[in-house]
Amino acid sequence: MKPSLIVLAGLAMFAAAACGSADDAGTPLDPVDPEPTDAPSDSTGSPADTTDTSDAADPFGDTTWRLAAGDVDGDALVLLDANPVTLSVDPDGGIGGTAACNNYGGPFMATLDTSSDTGGDTGDMFSLTFGALFRTEMACFPDEVNQLESAYLAALGRVTTAQRAGDALTLSGDGIRLDFAAEAVEPAASLTGTVWLLDSVISGDSASSSVSSTVSPSNTEATLSVGDDGEVSGSTGCNRFNGTISIIDDRFEPAALATTRMACDPALMEQEQAVMAVLGGGPRWSIDGQTLTLQLDDGTGLVYRAAV
């Protein structure tokens, strides 16, 4: 499965270079000296810089936020318990999460609004702009999932402010309001003794479309189980497999696994090839909460989630 990155319409890149203007002849206008203001000053008497570039200018922190309510132009978003909408900061400093079905991500710019009379119980106010976002491309079912995803991603493009107070985060803009609640930190699942469900296939460095039971005509989920003795078993979503893999530190040693030989539709056969190539190819493994990632040195990998 190859990932497809879609630039969402309506999400402009940051317009730092577009803050000037020109006269009718196309010549840049002469700068105008600012009028005196009552802005706070530093020790030299110059106006103080109110742009906060510290960690406090990050409205998200290291929390994973889950959408609890949303309103777009007076219409409430219909949230689905089985298809959560999440948002968090990724290791590269951008935002990312799940948009009810597909994964999404991209850059953002936030500054702490020191001119607002906020803080305390009301939390801190931030100016916030999202850059061009990408998302994976997967057909999602039922249609209510697609509707929620489209409305949420479009709303992000209209966000101009963020307000964070404890475990509550609100993103707002003209005609939109998105209320998030902090997700509880999940304890790390164990590699062994856990039934893992395949969530996505990674092609190179980007997560491709999710591969849950919706793609399987037989409604069989792709699974992985690892025993204390290194015995592995599960399903590719089409055929079942088993074998023994030596696990040394953070790596599965390369191994040949036995599989059944049932023919499946082309999409599932492609998924099966990816699963078997990664499992047998000596991937590194890591666990973050309830998520297991297996990844080869070329970036190809699998992402599993612990079964509830």
Side-chain angles (χ1 to χ4, degrees):
M1 296 185 182
K2 297 182 178 178
S4 178
L5 303 185
I6 300 178
V7 177
L8 303 179
L11 293 181
M13 292 299 288
F14 303 128
C19 56
S21 59
D23 59 17
D24 293 338
T27 303
L29 298 174
D30 292 333
V32 177
D33 292 334
E35 296 293 332
T37 67
D38 295 327
S41 300
D42 60 20
S43 59
T44 66
S46 301
D49 184 359
T50 59
T51 301
D52 192 322
T53 58
S54 68
D55 290 341
D58 174 10
F60 309 116
D62 58 1
T63 301
T64 296
W65 301 94
R66 178 166 176 160
L67 187 64
D71 186 276
V72 178
D73 296 326
D75 295 325
L77 296 182
V78 179
L79 304 184
L80 306 170
D81 290 339
N83 300 87
V85 174
T86 64
L87 183 154
S88 61
V89 175
D90 62 36
D92 294 328
I95 60 100
T98 57
C101 176
N102 286 285
N103 297 323
Y104 72 97
F108 72 93
M109 179 182 291
T111 56
L112 181 63
D113 187 355
T114 57
S115 65
S116 299
D117 184 17
T118 59
D121 294 338
T122 60
D124 291 320
M125 186 73 73
F126 301 82
S127 296
L128 176 65
T129 307
F130 291 107
L133 301 181
F134 70 85
R135 66 171 171 178
T136 56
E137 186 179 13
M138 179 182 74
C140 307
F141 305 97
D143 191 53
E144 288 82 356
V145 178
N146 286 313
Q147 294 174 2
L148 172 58
E149 178 168 289
S150 296
Y152 168 71
L153 292 174
L156 287 183
R158 297 164 60 182
V159 167
T160 56
T161 61
Q163 188 168 6
R164 178 179 177 180
D167 291 338
L169 172 70
T170 298
L171 307 184
S172 57
D174 185 16
I176 67 107
R177 179 186 174 101
L178 303 172
D179 293 314
F180 293 82
E183 284 196 331
V185 178
E186 294 180 318
S190 172
L191 174 64
T192 60
T194 300
V195 176
W196 298 99
L197 306 179
L198 185 61
D199 188 66
S200 60
V201 175
I202 303 172
S203 177
D205 294 327
S206 301
S208 182
S209 54
S210 297
V211 282
S212 63
S213 58
T214 55
V215 302
S216 173
S218 61
N219 203 37
T220 300
E221 291 181 315
T223 63
L224 171 67
S225 297
V226 181
D228 292 330
D229 57 357
E231 183 177 350
V232 298
S233 61
S235 169
T236 64
C238 173
N239 285 286
R240 298 199 58 80
F241 63 84
N242 64 76
T244 301
I245 294 179
S246 297
I247 302 174
I248 300 177
D249 297 327
D250 65 344
R251 186 181 287 276
F252 286 19
E253 291 297 298
L257 301 177
T259 68
T260 56
R261 298 294 183 179
M262 182 174 66
C264 302
D265 64 75
L268 279 179
M269 294 305 296
E270 183 179 356
Q271 175 179 305
E272 177 170 292
Q273 291 172 4
V275 169
M276 298 307 296
V278 173
L279 288 179
R284 294 187 182 277
W285 67 274
S286 63
I287 292 178
D288 182 8
Q290 302 292 296
T291 301
L292 167 66
T293 301
L294 303 175
Q295 198 157 18
L296 299 175
D297 292 339
D298 65 359
T300 305
L302 307 170
V303 180
Y304 288 87
R305 56 183 169 84
V308 178

